[in-house]
Amino acid sequence: MFSSMKLKTKLAFGFLSVLLLLIGLGILAINRLAVVNNQAKDIAGNWLPSVRFISAMDVNTSDYRIAEYGHVLSESDQAMSNQEKNLETLLNDFKKNQAAYEPLINSAEERQVHEEFKRLWGDYLKESETLLAISRQDNRTEEAQQLIEGKSLQLFDAANAKLAALVELNTKGAAEAARVAGETYDNSLMWIIAILVSAVGFGITIAMLLARGITKQVGGEPAVIADLSGQIAGGDLTARFENTGKETGIYVAMRDMAVQLKDMVIKVNLTTGQVSSAAAEIARGSSDLSQRTEEQASALEETASSMEELTGTVKQSAENAGQANQLASAARSQAEQGGQ
């Protein structure tokens, strides 16, 4: 089918096929890059910030817990006042980090764990208020220590475990996004290489087929064909053509044309010689005819002269015959008269 196509159709088919492969490659690359880009944005804009804010919240809660111990162990009102200011600052920092984290929650499981943390942390803060109130009283350090080591510790550990769970969820999410991005990259690389190899192979095949088809149609190098054509166009029919039996296309047609032109020129030369010989014979025949015509004209002149003489003789004979007739008539009259 390909070999029966016209040259321009073959060229259009080849270039269009390679172009379609390259367009497909571009579309695939853009699509896969978009997937990788989305995963990278998800990691950079969601999972990692979530881990960062949760870790900051974890640090805030740990520092808050340490400040509580410092408050319980304080031996002066000034020291307690300093710890309370520190607790207030840490709580404000915690609230800021929590407010920054909450919009980044992107799954029902993560939201549920965060709600459980908020509940436990709220219970812990209520217990902390009781603890701080007891710690402010004189001679209540032992009771405060028992409280901070009891229910307060349980609530803190439970809340801290939820923060650890949130960190784990976001870490897993980041790892999953990285895995998807990696798989997308690997698959995209494989497809891109496959399409490139296919495009190169297809292009080489089309190029070889086109070269073979053009060479078959032309029958040789275009420069050689052009040189031979110039020689023939200039009237030089002695141009040398190869005749191995493998030549095809225009080369063979030009070779056959040169041979036929040579034969035609030879035939024309022979015909021209024959025509020249016939013309010479015709010229000689015309000369003889002219001479005979002149001779006949001279004979005609002599005949005409003889005819004039004959005409005079006939005229004279006619006159003599008239006279003889008159004489006969007179004789007859005289005879009749003599008879009477």
Side-chain angles (χ1 to χ4, degrees):
M1 178 180 178
F2 186 80
S3 59
S4 62
M5 294 181 180
K6 294 182 178 180
L7 179 59
K8 64 178 182 180
T9 305
K10 291 179 180 179
L11 291 172
F13 175 77
F15 286 120
L16 182 61
S17 300
V18 175
L19 180 62
L20 290 176
L21 284 174
L22 293 178
I23 291 174
L25 176 61
I27 293 174
L28 175 65
I30 291 172
N31 180 265
R32 297 294 89 188
L33 284 174
V35 173
V36 173
N37 184 53
N38 290 334
Q39 295 299 325
K41 286 183 177 179
D42 202 20
I43 292 172
N46 190 338
W47 300 112
L48 293 182
S50 296
V51 171
R52 184 173 70 251
F53 289 126
I54 294 170
S55 298
M57 290 163 60
D58 184 54
V59 172
N60 295 148
T61 55
S62 298
D63 290 343
Y64 190 90
R65 181 71 175 170
I66 293 171
E68 280 184 330
Y69 272 104
H71 191 281
V72 171
L73 297 175
S74 296
E75 296 179 354
S76 65
D77 293 339
Q78 183 62 40
M80 286 185 180
S81 178
N82 291 337
Q83 291 297 340
E84 288 175 359
K85 289 180 181 179
N86 188 28
L87 288 169
E88 184 178 358
T89 300
L90 290 171
L91 189 58
N92 288 333
D93 290 342
F94 170 83
K95 289 179 179 179
K96 290 179 181 178
N97 290 322
Q98 186 180 37
Y101 160 70
E102 286 181 346
L104 300 176
I105 298 174
N106 60 0
S107 69
E109 182 182 5
E110 184 179 1
R111 188 171 300 281
Q112 180 182 356
V113 174
H114 180 252
E115 292 297 328
E116 292 176 359
F117 165 76
K118 288 172 64 176
R119 179 180 58 78
L120 292 170
W121 182 248
D123 294 341
Y124 176 81
L125 290 179
K126 290 179 182 179
E127 196 67 22
S128 177
E129 292 177 0
T130 303
L131 173 65
L132 294 177
I134 294 173
S135 177
R136 292 188 193 100
Q137 298 176 10
D138 296 335
N139 301 322
R140 300 300 295 274
T141 303
E142 183 177 352
E143 183 180 355
Q145 288 179 349
Q146 291 176 356
L147 182 59
I148 201 172
E149 296 293 338
K151 186 176 180 180
S152 178
L153 179 60
Q154 294 175 359
L155 291 172
F156 178 81
D157 289 341
N160 190 260
K162 295 302 179 182
L163 285 177
L166 289 174
V167 171
E168 184 179 1
L169 284 174
N170 284 275
T171 302
K172 287 182 178 179
E176 178 64 17
R179 184 191 65 79
V180 172
E183 287 184 356
T184 302
Y185 169 78
D186 293 337
N187 292 334
S188 300
L189 182 62
M190 180 184 66
W191 276 105
I192 289 172
I193 292 174
I195 293 176
L196 281 175
V197 171
S198 299
V200 171
F202 188 77
I204 292 174
T205 302
I206 291 296
M208 291 178 64
L209 290 175
L210 286 174
R212 183 180 300 174
I214 294 173
T215 303
K216 185 176 181 180
Q217 291 179 359
V218 174
E221 289 295 328
V224 176
I225 299 295
D227 182 61
L228 292 173
S229 300
Q231 292 182 35
I232 294 174
D236 182 8
L237 299 181
T238 62
R240 297 183 62 183
F241 288 85
E242 298 291 335
N243 191 9
T244 62
K246 297 180 180 180
E247 293 78 21
T248 58
I250 298 175
Y251 189 89
V252 173
M254 289 183 60
R255 184 184 65 194
D256 295 342
M257 180 183 69
V259 172
Q260 291 179 3
L261 285 174
K262 289 180 182 178
D263 293 340
M264 289 176 62
V265 169
I266 292 172
K267 291 179 181 179
V268 168
N269 286 333
L270 291 175
T271 303
T272 302
Q274 293 174 356
V275 170
S276 178
S277 176
E281 292 180 1
I282 291 173
R284 288 194 297 271
S286 297
S287 178
D288 294 341
L289 179 61
S290 175
Q291 184 177 359
R292 288 196 297 271
T293 301
E294 290 179 356
E295 293 176 354
Q296 289 180 359
S298 177
L300 285 174
E301 288 180 357
E302 293 178 356
T303 301
S305 178
S306 298
M307 289 296 292
E308 288 180 357
E309 292 178 358
L310 179 61
T311 301
T313 303
V314 169
K315 184 177 180 181
Q316 187 176 2
S317 296
E319 291 177 356
N320 292 331
Q323 292 176 2
N325 186 36
Q326 291 177 357
L327 291 175
S329 295
R332 186 180 62 183
S333 298
Q334 290 174 4
E336 286 179 354
Q337 289 177 3
Q340 291 176 359

